[in-house]
Amino acid sequence: MVSISAEGRALLRLHLVEGMGSRRIKALTETFGSARRAWQEGPRAWREALKLPPSVIEAALGLEPEREAWELEQLRRLGASVLTWDDEAYPPLLRETSRPPAALFVLGR
């Protein structure tokens, strides 16, 4: 399995939600304090807090629990990794852009 923090896993799960996008992920993490906390509160709370479209809420509710593990296993098989906002190795200048991706998939260094 690819090494990733609990917060990184939560960010990856948000990244996997169809229609989420980096702006919405940023808004969720700022509103709830972290991606982990956002998932603890759940997609229905996101609708209340951020007025997310029903399609995004439905996609989050329908996200298969195994999907995150499957994605990480595929990365491991490729010899790749994932970097999220909470990783020290995440490129600092990219983090400062207006829409930094929540997850970067990396092959090599």
Side-chain angles (χ1 to χ4, degrees), residues 8-43:
R9 285 179 169 277
L11 283 167
L12 177 60
R13 270 196 312 276
L14 288 174
H15 178 78
L16 294 172
V17 174
E18 189 171 333
M20 185 60 76
S22 60
R23 282 190 183 170
R24 288 180 174 149
I25 293 172
K26 185 123 179 102
L28 276 173
T29 59
E30 288 174 354
T31 299
F32 293 99
S34 71
R36 288 179 67 199
R37 182 72 181 157
W39 278 111
Q40 288 170 347
E41 293 297 323

Side-chain angles (χ1 to χ4, degrees), residues 4 8 11-16 22 25 75 81-85 87 90 94 100-106:
I4 186 170
L11 283 167
L12 177 60
R13 270 196 312 276
L14 288 174
H15 178 78
L16 294 172
S22 60
I25 293 172
L75 290 170
S81 60
V82 62
L83 294 175
T84 58
W85 290 333
D87 287 308
Y90 192 95
L94 183 58
L104 296 175
F105 300 92
V106 181

Side-chain angles (χ1 to χ4, degrees), residues 27-28 31-32 41-52 57:
L28 276 173
T31 299
F32 293 99
E41 293 297 323
R44 289 183 178 90
W46 308 347
R47 179 180 18 218
E48 299 294 318
L50 298 173
K51 309 295 185 230
L52 293 179
I57 300 303

